[in-house]
Amino acid sequence: QVWQIPRQLPQAPGAMSASPSEQQQLNGKPSRPRLETSALFASPPYVNGLILLVGSMALCVFAVLKAGGKSHKYAGVVLGTAAYFLLYYGFLFLQTGTKFACQAADKQDGVKFDREDPFDKRLRGMNRTVGNMLEQMGPFLASVWIHALVASPSVAAYCCVIYVVTRAIYPLVFGAVPLIFISTLPNYVVIGYLFVSASIAVW
């Protein structure tokens, strides 16, 4: 039987335990402070990502207005889809900007950059934000446009806006349970509703 050596050895009775920073150093990961927010805003991709997020929210407003107006019947869902992709590229820029900021801090401190386990957990959050959006991209786009084509373009547009707005808050609530469900649950409900209602429309 092979025994694994624990990272933290048991302490003798009365002995002082290692502090969190000392334990991290024993594990090969030195304790480091959280990345300053100013370092993120000094990264051009991060700022571009924020601009794209604002643009995405603006398109959501226009999508709602067009869906309820006398414009082309697909105007709302087209604008909603455009808002979705603006959000997607905004997340990509935020991920890149956060990565660059962490890389610069690691280089300055003489530490090897670890993309999967960075010292600033915001990068891990952005990695998961992009990954989760990619995982749901196919089902979401299929549900929106199937519903728009066979059921109601205006309802598809409204659902698209709900999806984009709730998806936008994902990086803000990542890792916080149960707050994360404010973003994820509405996304799943929207996809399920669009598929079910479209199926009923063609039954």
Side-chain angles (χ1 to χ4, degrees):
Q1 184 177 7
V2 179
W3 296 91
Q4 294 183 349
I5 301 176
R7 287 189 172 185
Q8 185 172 9
L9 297 176
Q11 299 289 330
M16 297 180 62
S17 60
S19 66
S21 60
E22 291 172 339
Q23 182 61 37
Q24 287 187 352
Q25 290 177 353
L26 290 174
N27 293 340
K29 291 185 178 297
S31 176
R32 303 179 63 196
R34 179 182 171 94
L35 191 69
E36 293 290 339
T37 304
S38 58
L40 295 174
F41 284 97
S43 177
Y46 191 88
V47 176
N48 291 337
L50 292 177
I51 294 173
L52 289 176
L53 260 62
V54 172
S56 174
M57 296 302 101
L59 276 181
C60 284
V61 174
F62 286 113
V64 171
L65 295 176
K66 291 292 184 180
K70 298 181 179 180
S71 304
H72 192 284
K73 66 177 182 177
Y74 293 115
V77 70
V78 168
L79 289 174
T81 303
Y84 173 82
F85 279 106
L86 268 187
L87 180 67
Y88 169 64
Y89 285 110
F91 281 165
L92 288 179
F93 273 98
L94 289 176
Q95 180 190 35
T96 302
T98 308
K99 174 184 175 182
F100 285 173
C102 289
Q103 280 181 322
D106 282 341
K107 183 177 181 180
Q108 182 178 359
D109 295 343
V111 179
K112 183 179 179 181
F113 174 69
D114 186 351
R115 185 178 188 274
E116 298 303 323
D117 190 19
F119 73 95
D120 192 292
K121 301 309 178 185
R122 282 174 291 190
L123 178 54
R124 180 182 295 177
M126 286 311 307
N127 291 341
R128 191 67 206 117
T129 296
V130 173
N132 188 267
M133 191 167 189
L134 285 172
E135 292 166 3
Q136 301 300 321
M137 182 177 289
F140 168 68
L141 293 176
S143 66
V144 165
W145 279 99
I146 289 174
H147 189 282
L149 291 173
V150 305
S152 171
S154 59
V155 171
Y158 295 138
C159 289
C160 188
V161 168
I162 293 173
Y163 188 96
V164 171
V165 172
T166 53
R167 170 62 58 177
I169 66 175
Y170 186 95
L172 301 178
V173 295
F174 173 78
V177 179
L179 293 180
I180 187 67
F181 298 125
I182 298 174
S183 175
T184 57
L185 284 182
N187 290 173
Y188 295 129
V189 170
V190 164
I191 293 174
Y193 167 77
L194 289 172
F195 272 129
V196 171
S197 57
S199 300
I200 293 175
V202 299
W203 188 258

